[in-house]
């Protein structure tokens, strides 16, 4: 059974700092991995999607990597801003299934 | 196309009442999913439709919950005899068939509070 773990559960950093959020999963047989952002009381916004054959994806100040063999992904945020404050969720789509499995998220606070 | 639309955004109901939520997926997406998210947790899968067929239901979907997708377009999720434990964010997502390349697109969710 696929399980997804995100560490740390919460993170508070000063503005301008570079930071890394971690995601680990137990079964490497996946179609893809997706990172989402969730603001309080809101839905999910897709940030980056990495196919199983890819190693990383980049969008602006965000970079996500995938190491399928070790069951790990990282989301790197460069030059953090207060507007980056949100919960970041990692989700994997296991092969042979129709659904994403989510981690419990990392709650990020960027201090001005 | 304005993405996945969910209504209402918020719903407060008394325990024991029935509630219904609606999801309108992206028009060319024939797969539709419902998830539930409680405070401090990640979303958990509830059910999945391909066109009008409900192909999978989680054990989380008790007999008080029912979901439909008539004509393979919008979907409704009904909760009968609501309980305080049903308080959560209910998220809908859609995707295309035949490829996992694009992942899901989520709606903004319906926040249910049972008092």
């Amino acid at each position: 059974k696929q399980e997804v773990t995100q560490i740390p559960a919460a993170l508070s950093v000063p503005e301008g700092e570079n930071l890394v959020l971690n995601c680990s999963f137990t079964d490497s047989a996946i179609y893809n991995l997706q990172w989402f952002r969730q603001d309080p009381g809101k839905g999910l916004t897709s940030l980056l999607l990495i196919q199983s054959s890819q190693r990383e994806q980049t969008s602006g100040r965000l970079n996500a990597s995938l190491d399928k063999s070790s069951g790990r992904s990282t989301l790197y945020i460069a030059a953090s801003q207060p507007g980056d404050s949100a919960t970041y969720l990692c989700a994997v789509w296991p092969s042979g299934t129709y659904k994403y499995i989510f981690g419990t998220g990392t709650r990020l606070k960027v201090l001005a | 196309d304005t993405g996945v639309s969910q209504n209402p955004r918020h719903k407060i109901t008394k325990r024991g009442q029935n509630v219904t939520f609606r999801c309108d997926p992206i028009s060319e997406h024939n797969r539709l999913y419902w998830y539930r998210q409680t405070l401090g947790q990640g979303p958990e899968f509830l059910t999945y439709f391909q066109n009008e067929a409900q192909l999978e239901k989680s054990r989380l979907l008790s007999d008080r919950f029912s979901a439909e997708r008539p004509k393979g377009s919008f979907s409704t999720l009904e909760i009968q005899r609501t309980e305080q434990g049903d308080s959560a964010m209910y998220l809908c997502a859609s995707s295309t068939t035949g490829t996992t390349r694009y992942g899901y697109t989520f709606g903004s969710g319906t926040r249910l509070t049972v008092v």
Side-chain angles (χ1 to χ4, degrees), chain B residues 12 33 49 55 75 82 85 112:
Chain B
I12 300 174
Y33 313 82
F49 290 86
L55 297 186
S75 175
T82 52
L112 172 67

Side-chain angles (χ1 to χ4, degrees), chain A residues 1 31-32 34 36 38 40-46 49 51 54 89 93 97-105, chain B residues 9 31 33 35 37 40-43 45 48 50 56 89 91 95 99-104 106-109 111:
Chain A
K1 179 188 170 188
Y31 291 131
N32 61 53
Q34 200 163 359
F36 294 89
Q38 186 174 35
K42 306 291 186 183
L44 306 183
T45 301
S46 178
L49 186 153
Q51 303 297 337
Q54 297 176 320
L89 291 157
W93 190 334
T97 73
Y98 302 106
K99 58 191 181 221
Y100 274 106
I101 306 297
F102 283 83
T104 52
Chain B
R9 294 294 304 275
R31 288 183 175 175
Y33 313 82
Y35 279 73
Q37 184 180 26
Q41 300 298 313
F45 172 80
Y48 150 67
Q50 181 157 314
E56 187 173 348
M89 173 77 88
L91 295 161
S95 71
T99 178
T100 58
R101 184 172 183 81
Y102 304 108
Y104 288 6
F106 276 88
S108 298
R111 177 163 294 284

